[in-house]
Amino acid sequence: MHAHGDGRGHRENDLKRSSDRQRFKERLEILRDSSLHRQVKQHLAAHRWTRRQWIHASLFLSIGVMLATIVPGFSSATQAPSIRPFSTTTLSLPALSAQQRGGTAGDSWQLIKVKPGQTLRAVFKQLGIPAETMKLVLSNRNAKTALTQLKPGSELAFDLPVGGSLRTLRYDRDADHRVELALDGDQVREKVISRDSMTRTVVLSGTVGRSLNRSARKAGLTQANLNALTDEIFKYDIDFDSDLDPNDRFSVVVDQTWRDGELISTGPVQAATFTVDGKLHSGFRFARAGGKPEYFTPEGRPLKKIFIRMPIPYARLSSRFGNRFHPVLGRMRMHKGVDYAAGTGTPIMAAGDARVQFAGRQNGYGNVVILDHGRGYTTLYGHMSRFGKIRTGQRVAQGTVIGYVGSTGLATGPHLHYEFRVNGVHRNPLSITMPPPEPLGGAQLAAYRSYTARALAQIRTVENIIYADAGSTADKPVVAVAAKPKNGAKTKKG
């Protein structure tokens, strides 16, 4: 009894001590919490946030949430796509039969456009055609003449089957004829094919826009057509460097040749108008009886002046007409012309259409050329370093290079001495009234007026359609409109 009681007492004591320890721990935790609470309160009291700090904290928290949302999307988007494995399978194709390898004549044409400096031998080598085949082709006399004088841009067509043996060679002899050379063993059969073409007169019209050159080409004018406008027809009336505005317009009558729906060539300008600041300028191509075509005003006067004032480009007037102290002779002397200072070798042009009266060396003039322009007018060009490709008695056109600047004869430096004479009397080239060009007259003037009336009617018809509302069409692209069949005026085919 007593032992049992002692055991139970021990257990009760143990439980009591355990309970005391538990209570002690709880009190200790309470004390710790209380101390920590006091510390936190003290810290918060010492470091209380301002309103601005709270706003910044909220802003940073919002940015953090946004980044946490967006970045995973970028991560998944930038992941490299998975590469799926693939395999290749070789398929065997049936061999071509002899008939298929030979093909049908004309089913395997290869077109070659000749490059600058490229020869017929180089073309054949490019296509892998043996030199013996080229020799066989050139055994045809007509083909040899045409194919050994190839120009850049010429087109050659070769009928080459899979086997590589040339069957037919094709080239254009001229605009209206095509030649086919068929090879059969050691034989070459020539076939000339006529090609129909159609020539029609059209009016090409447009506005200057940002660039006259670009607008003219867009309208369909060739570079030669544009040069005729700026350097022949309107160069005396329009300064193409400063006079033009974007809304100024041009209209040009030309002949175009078409073949198989392709434009083959564009002829020279037959008639042209240029409207600058509302003023109309016109020019028409016409040939006098026995003469070459030139451009005239609507009244029948040539647009080209009979003389050009300055027969040398890129030069400076260094001495005028009249009495002066001669720099070489050292005394006063009449200066019967004008001097233009320029570098040695600068080209000198004929001031007008003329016949070469003299070309050689003459006293103080050194190397000199004298031109006879008819009706008593002559011009002299002195101190040349060398002559152009001219000879005494030869006829030259205005602008022809007759020589080059030098310092031969009595000269202190390179320059051109230029004289203008009327019936042998020296006149000042800078102040003389130049004679007007000879106008058309009689039956030629009547034919010319009939021609210009039709040409102007064609141009006005087109312009009335295109520029009916000038405000809304100023920026429209240029167009080409077919005109009536060309008249009977003499023209040079282009």
Side-chain angles (χ1 to χ4, degrees):
M1 275 303 283
H2 183 72
H4 179 72
D6 290 341
R8 186 171 57 185
H10 285 302
R11 285 194 298 272
E12 290 176 354
N13 290 334
D14 291 338
L15 291 173
K16 183 178 181 181
R17 284 194 296 272
S18 176
S19 177
D20 291 340
R21 285 196 297 271
Q22 184 66 29
R23 285 197 295 273
F24 176 77
K25 289 180 179 180
E26 290 175 355
R27 289 176 182 174
L28 183 61
E29 292 294 335
I30 291 172
L31 290 174
R32 287 177 178 173
D33 292 343
S34 177
S35 176
L36 179 62
H37 180 66
R38 285 196 302 273
Q39 292 177 6
V40 170
K41 289 181 66 178
Q42 292 173 359
H43 180 77
L44 290 176
H47 301 280
R48 186 178 299 278
W49 283 6
T50 64
R51 180 176 181 181
R52 176 174 295 184
Q53 289 173 323
W54 280 109
I55 293 174
H56 288 173
S58 300
L59 178 61
F60 292 146
L61 179 61
S62 300
I63 294 174
V65 172
M66 291 174 61
L67 290 175
T69 304
I70 296 173
V71 168
F74 278 112
S75 176
S76 60
T78 57
Q79 289 179 357
S82 59
I83 301 176
R84 296 183 180 180
F86 65 92
S87 60
T88 58
T89 302
T90 302
L91 299 177
S92 59
L93 298 175
L96 292 174
S97 65
Q99 182 178 3
Q100 289 173 325
R101 286 196 301 269
T104 303
D107 66 351
S108 53
W109 286 104
Q110 297 189 39
L111 186 64
I112 298 294
K113 183 170 288 189
V114 178
K115 301 175 183 177
Q118 191 175 30
T119 63
L120 183 66
R121 183 182 299 276
V123 173
F124 271 67
K125 185 176 181 180
Q126 174 184 336
L127 297 175
I129 304 174
E132 291 75 11
T133 304
M134 185 185 72
K135 292 179 181 179
L136 178 61
V137 170
L138 295 181
S139 65
N140 181 288
R141 185 171 56 184
N142 295 332
K144 184 176 182 179
T145 302
L147 298 177
T148 55
Q149 300 176 0
L150 293 175
K151 297 180 180 179
S154 300
E155 292 185 349
L156 301 176
F158 298 81
D159 183 14
L160 281 169
V162 178
S165 298
L166 178 63
R167 288 186 299 212
T168 308
L169 170 63
R170 186 176 67 200
Y171 64 91
D172 291 336
R173 188 178 70 188
D174 51 46
D176 299 320
H177 297 90
R178 170 168 288 175
V179 177
E180 287 189 356
L181 301 175
L183 278 63
D184 185 8
D186 294 336
Q187 301 296 319
V188 179
R189 296 193 306 272
E190 181 184 61
K191 180 181 180 182
V192 180
I193 304 171
S194 296
R195 308 184 69 191
D196 294 334
S197 61
M198 177 183 67
T199 299
R200 61 182 182 180
T201 302
V202 298
V203 177
L204 307 177
S205 186
T207 54
V208 171
R210 289 177 293 179
S211 166
L212 173 60
N213 183 74
R214 181 168 53 189
S215 298
R217 298 303 292 267
K218 189 175 180 181
L221 272 68
T222 65
Q223 189 61 49
N225 295 151
L226 181 58
N227 292 342
L229 295 184
T230 58
D231 299 341
E232 292 186 65
I233 305 175
F234 300 118
K235 75 172 182 178
Y236 300 103
D237 301 311
I238 302 173
D239 185 340
F240 286 92
D241 291 327
S242 60
D243 288 351
L244 299 184
D245 291 326
N247 291 331
D248 293 337
R249 63 178 184 256
F250 58 88
S251 293
V252 179
V253 179
V254 295
D255 286 343
Q256 290 184 336
T257 301
W258 294 77
R259 185 180 62 214
D260 299 332
E262 179 184 1
L263 178 62
I264 301 302
S265 64
T266 300
V269 175
Q270 303 295 333
T273 61
F274 218 117
T275 303
V276 179
D277 290 335
K279 183 178 180 181
L280 178 67
H281 303 273
S282 304
F284 304 88
R285 191 171 189 263
F286 193 78
R288 302 176 189 264
K292 62 181 182 179
E294 52 185 310
Y295 292 98
F296 294 83
T297 67
E299 295 74 30
R301 292 190 174 276
L303 284 169
K304 184 180 77 172
K305 307 305 181 186
I306 192 169
F307 290 104
I308 54 179
R309 287 282 184 187
M310 189 172 175
I312 178 174
Y314 322 118
R316 173 180 58 87
L317 180 66
S318 58
S319 184
R320 295 179 177 272
F321 183 89
N323 284 319
R324 66 161 188 173
F325 182 82
H326 197 282
V328 176
L329 299 178
R331 56 184 173 84
M332 293 298 294
R333 184 180 181 183
M334 178 66 181
H335 191 224
K336 299 179 179 180
V338 293
D339 291 346
Y340 292 102
T344 300
T346 302
I348 301 169
M349 302 175 294
D353 296 342
R355 180 182 60 84
V356 179
Q357 186 181 91
F358 178 83
R361 195 169 183 90
Q362 190 179 97
N363 303 326
Y365 289 119
N367 292 330
V368 64
V369 172
I370 301 176
L371 300 181
D372 182 1
H373 303 276
R375 295 189 291 174
Y377 293 94
T378 59
T379 52
L380 178 146
Y381 313 78
H383 306 310
M384 293 182 176
S385 60
R386 59 190 176 94
F387 301 105
K389 296 180 180 179
I390 59 171
R391 64 183 184 278
T392 301
Q394 176 184 347
R395 298 204 65 85
V396 294
Q398 184 183 81
T400 301
V401 175
I402 57 175
Y404 301 87
V405 169
S407 53
T408 57
L410 295 177
T412 58
H415 70 280
L416 165 66
H417 174 77
Y418 175 57
E419 295 183 5
F420 192 94
R421 304 172 182 175
V422 181
N423 296 321
V425 179
H426 291 85
R427 308 292 293 273
N428 187 350
L430 302 180
S431 60
I432 186 174
T433 301
M434 295 294 183
E438 185 179 353
L440 296 172
Q444 285 192 339
L445 180 60
Y448 173 78
R449 285 178 174 171
S450 176
Y451 159 59
T452 57
R454 290 193 295 269
L456 276 177
Q458 294 170 358
I459 292 174
R460 286 170 181 162
T461 299
V462 172
E463 290 193 346
N464 287 340
I465 296 173
I466 301 175
Y467 308 111
D469 184 359
S472 64
T473 59
D475 297 327
K476 286 187 177 180
V478 289
V479 297
V481 180
K484 296 178 181 178
K486 65 179 182 178
N487 54 63
K490 296 181 181 179
T491 59
K492 182 179 179 182
K493 285 291 181 182

